[in-house]
Amino acid sequence: MANGILVFIEHVEGQINRASYEAVRAAQLIGAQLNQETAAVIFGNGVSNLATEVAGKKLNRVYTVESDSLSSYTPDGYSIAFKQVIEQVQPALVLMAHTYEVRDFAPKLAASLQRALVGDCIGYKIEDGAAVFTRQIFQGKLSADVVPTGDTPHFVSFQIGSFRGDECEAGQAEVQALTVNLNAEQVRQQPEARFKEAKAAVDLTQAPLIVAVGRGIKEQKNIEIIEKLAAAMGAEIAASRPICDNDWLPMDRQIGSSGQTVAPKLYLAVGISGAIQHLVGMKGARTIVAINKDAEAPIFEIADYGIVGDLFEVVPALTAEIEKMKQ
Amino acid sequence: MKIIVCLKQVPKNDSILRINDAATWIQDRDLTYEINESDAYALEAALQLKEKNGGEVVALSLGPARVQSVIKEALARGADRGLHLEDAAFDNLDAFGAAATIAAAAKSDGFDLLLTGLQSDDHGYAQTGVIAAELLGLPHATIVMDLQTEGSGIKVKRELEAGFFQWVTLPLPGVFTIQSGINTLRYATLKGIMAAKKKEIKKLDAAALGLDAATLAPKQQIKRVYFPQKSKQTQMIEGTGAAAAATLVEKLKNEARVF
């Protein structure tokens, strides 16, 4: 009989991914409302210290799954092992943080059990005694309430920042080792060591004021008006991914899931629609200003101040006004 | 080397979206469409691999008659053939159903590499390629930045979080989801557009692919679609000229106290 909520704990280089605690928090909340037991599972080789850390959270159990073939993350290794854990533990719901690693293996795991993964959710509600999950569609322009259908287990991943990992209730969980059958030949991916490209020249995380530019700027030569605005403000320039993809600004100016994560005093977003991959990198800013021609752009959802209009009019006017103020 | 590249047709990035009467999806009338962004980079990656290693690029798209325009665009850019998966039974597929359909078509055509973009701009599942790999019993890698053939296999550079990358070696055939911005997209030339007119687009439906209703039945269901509730109270400033700029600067200075 399927029962309980099982949370996937991700780790790299001996550190638990903080996003996993957001998934633990989600499990605590949903578990309390639906009267379900909660457990976490951690895969690897030599993960007892990490399991002890997770066991300090309010959970009924923490499972460890250890194997030489789980020393490095691979989608094959994790999917094969996780499937066997699900057969042993029989959870009703499997919760994960929607990290790059989860994106890499979770759809395969769910498909191997003929189940859906309701991915990248931003919240849940309980309707008729069952959880309904909210996910963003059209890059955050719309929300959709989604239910997994058919038999359990159901698989759900939550977008980073959807729950507060630091609000996890403390507790004392029992740690239990599970055994799986996994041999090296079943793992077809051979990963090499993780690396960073040449060190980022600019550390935007320390900048108090940031002016960020997006697709709305249309052409490389128009970046100049953003540079003038940033110079007038004494701000650093940043960009959304498409701008860096086009080499209009260097990669180390990119904000978002694949770039830097910043929390400045002021984040002024110009011509940025606010795709979720961008928002995760800047939504912690204290004050957010958005200038965009599309009143429905998701950036306005998180902005403190908004101007709907042509950035080619607004930006020069703003530059002139700031120069006037500074005189 | 034979490469099948999956191209999804999605509403243009700057489309004004309206919710349908049942509040289950958007209204599709009055929309203009384009190739899903990361899929366009997958197509370019496929064309570059073919130029380097020889072989064939097959452009696959799943959807109603209108998706032929993305197949034709791919043929004009240099793909050799098209596969158009069209059936009324494909109208409301979730990621699993779409992946099952693509997997069946890819299997019947045969391939060394199956490429998709990493995520669609509409549903945003970020799952279809990975599920297809599982259903085909093949290895995969996601969020791929670079692909280098190596002997009978392939070495791919994956993007990880927080600025990290990783090279992973896999045997072929395999499935790879491609990150946006990894190459420079080409435009179709006039010569390419003319040549595309002679290229074959093969249509396949559910019966031809041996897909039954149970396989295509959604495993997740959208109950309702709506505009997101604002998490913050946004002060909208009217106008776009000097007056609006002055208002904004005043608020930033005196309310938000950032200057």
Side-chain angles (χ1 to χ4, degrees):
Chain A
M1 185 66 192
N3 211 341
I5 301 174
L6 181 63
V7 182
F8 169 69
I9 303 292
E10 178 174 333
H11 60 96
V12 66
E13 288 166 7
Q15 297 282 328
I16 289 173
N17 188 327
R18 280 183 305 168
S20 294
Y21 285 122
E22 299 178 11
V24 169
R25 183 61 187 148
Q28 290 179 342
L29 291 167
I30 297 172
Q33 274 179 281
L34 295 180
N35 199 21
Q36 294 271 320
E37 290 210 340
T38 54
V41 60
I42 181 161
F43 299 86
N45 195 10
V47 293
S48 57
N49 287 347
L50 299 179
T52 306
E53 183 188 324
V54 179
K57 306 297 176 192
K58 189 179 172 191
L59 293 161
N60 295 93
R61 251 169 303 284
V62 176
Y63 298 108
T64 57
V65 182
E66 309 217 38
S67 159
D68 289 344
S69 299
L70 296 170
S71 297
S72 302
Y73 163 78
T74 58
D76 280 351
Y78 269 48
S79 301
I80 293 165
F82 209 145
K83 188 178 176 187
Q84 294 175 43
V85 167
I86 286 169
E87 283 157 1
Q88 293 176 43
V89 176
Q90 299 266 313
L93 183 62
V94 179
L95 297 184
M96 298 172 270
H98 192 72
T99 61
Y100 279 27
E101 183 171 300
V102 164
R103 289 169 59 146
D104 193 51
F105 82 83
K108 173 182 167 70
L109 169 66
S112 74
L113 292 157
Q114 298 280 311
R115 297 295 192 280
L117 165 66
V118 182
D120 205 9
C121 299
I122 55 170
Y124 74 97
K125 36 198 136 181
I126 305 294
E127 291 179 6
D128 305 324
V132 175
F133 299 95
T134 303
R135 57 188 306 275
Q136 295 176 309
I137 53 175
F138 292 95
Q139 301 182 295
K141 287 184 195 169
L142 295 173
S143 292
D145 288 346
V146 179
V147 281
T149 55
D151 293 338
T152 57
H154 295 146
F155 294 82
V156 174
S157 68
F158 284 110
Q159 194 174 95
I160 314 297
S162 301
F163 293 88
R164 293 282 302 269
D166 57 0
E167 288 177 0
C168 276
E169 290 174 64
Q172 190 63 55
E174 176 197 342
V175 178
Q176 184 183 340
L178 298 177
T179 311
V180 296
N181 294 314
L182 174 66
N183 49 57
E185 302 84 72
Q186 291 173 284
V187 178
R188 295 163 294 185
Q189 297 91 359
Q190 292 172 30
E192 296 177 16
R194 295 154 21 104
F195 65 96
K196 276 193 171 181
E197 307 273 61
K199 194 160 169 50
V202 194
D203 183 7
L204 295 174
T205 61
Q206 300 305 315
L209 307 176
I210 291 177
V211 176
V213 58
R215 231 190 257 270
I217 198 71
K218 292 198 174 82
E219 288 185 66
Q220 183 167 20
K221 65 177 171 61
N222 298 334
I223 300 276
E224 194 186 351
I225 64 166
I226 304 298
E227 287 168 344
K228 282 185 181 157
L229 174 60
M233 290 170 57
E236 286 285 352
I237 290 193
S240 64
R241 182 163 192 129
I243 300 300
C244 299
D245 282 350
N246 282 332
D247 277 335
W248 294 354
L249 283 171
M251 276 292 176
D252 59 13
R253 296 274 168 186
Q254 186 183 317
I255 301 294
S257 51
S258 51
Q260 301 192 49
T261 300
V262 295
K265 234 168 34 165
L266 173 66
Y267 192 90
L268 202 163
V270 182
I272 291 177
S273 65
I276 186 58
Q277 295 83 352
H278 185 75
L279 298 188
V280 295
M282 47 64 73
K283 64 185 175 187
R286 207 178 80 196
T287 300
I288 297 169
V289 178
I291 299 168
N292 202 291
K293 69 174 175 133
D294 176 10
E296 303 292 342
I299 191 77
F300 288 118
E301 304 301 327
I302 62 157
D304 299 278
Y305 302 100
I307 296 181
V308 176
D310 182 354
L311 71 90
F312 298 103
E313 284 174 38
V314 180
V315 170
L318 191 56
T319 306
E321 199 60 38
I322 286 168
E323 283 169 347
K324 207 164 90 188
M325 175 189 78
K326 296 236 161 151
Q327 270 167 15
Chain B
M1 175 170 284
K2 182 173 164 190
I3 306 169
I4 298 180
V5 56
C6 301
L7 303 168
K8 186 171 190 180
Q9 190 187 47
V10 294
K12 275 204 152 135
N13 190 280
D14 58 357
S15 297
I16 304 293
L17 302 176
R18 294 181 197 86
I19 294 169
N20 68 10
D21 292 340
T24 50
W25 196 237
I26 56 162
Q27 295 180 13
D28 54 10
R29 61 175 181 269
D30 306 330
L31 285 177
T32 52
Y33 294 90
E34 62 187 354
I35 298 179
N36 183 57
E37 186 178 30
S38 54
D39 298 353
Y41 289 96
L43 170 64
E44 181 61 38
L47 295 172
Q48 290 185 13
L49 280 167
K50 179 193 155 184
E51 283 160 1
K52 205 167 154 192
N53 305 300
E56 188 185 26
V57 172
V58 178
L60 177 154
S61 193
L62 165 60
R66 60 174 159 78
V67 311
Q68 288 230 349
S69 68
V70 307
I71 298 175
K72 284 175 183 162
E73 173 66 25
L75 298 178
R77 290 190 202 180
D80 299 287
R81 294 189 284 122
L83 288 177
H84 178 199
L85 317 184
E86 185 188 16
D87 197 306
F90 300 159
D91 277 355
N92 291 301
L93 298 178
D94 64 2
F96 190 97
T101 305
I102 289 167
K107 191 173 185 180
S108 74
D109 213 76
F111 62 92
D112 300 300
L113 279 83
L114 178 62
L115 303 187
T116 71
L118 84 166
Q119 183 162 13
S120 66
D121 295 338
D122 53 2
H123 274 109
Y125 286 124
Q127 298 188 38
T128 305
V130 181
I131 298 172
E134 172 63 23
L135 298 178
L136 289 160
L138 294 177
H140 75 272
T142 57
I143 320 186
V144 168
M145 308 284 295
D146 196 1
L147 306 102
Q148 307 279 346
T149 51
E150 207 170 74
S152 63
I154 195 156
K155 192 171 168 178
V156 300
K157 181 181 167 188
R158 293 192 59 227
E159 182 180 309
L160 308 177
E161 280 156 343
F164 280 94
F165 299 89
Q166 182 174 46
W167 286 97
V168 181
T169 307
L170 307 88
L172 292 177
V175 183
F176 305 91
T177 81
I178 304 295
Q179 172 65 290
S180 289
I182 68 164
N183 47 38
T184 306
L185 302 180
R186 71 190 67 193
Y187 294 101
T189 59
L190 184 61
K191 197 177 149 204
I193 294 166
M194 297 308 290
K197 292 183 198 297
K198 297 196 193 70
K199 293 176 179 173
E200 177 204 14
I201 299 178
K202 188 171 163 190
K203 283 178 73 162
L204 293 163
D205 61 12
L209 294 170
L211 293 161
D212 56 24
T215 306
L216 299 177
K219 298 181 189 301
Q220 52 187 309
Q221 191 190 353
I222 296 179
K223 288 187 87 174
R224 64 187 81 86
V225 167
Y226 51 94
F227 286 98
Q229 291 105 356
K230 280 185 187 293
S231 53
K232 263 187 183 177
Q233 201 64 39
T234 309
Q235 289 191 42
M236 298 306 288
I237 296 163
E238 296 298 319
T240 55
T247 307
L248 177 60
V249 169
E250 188 274 322
K251 284 180 182 296
L252 289 178
K253 196 174 166 185
N254 297 319
E255 276 182 15
R257 296 174 186 277
V258 295
F259 292 132

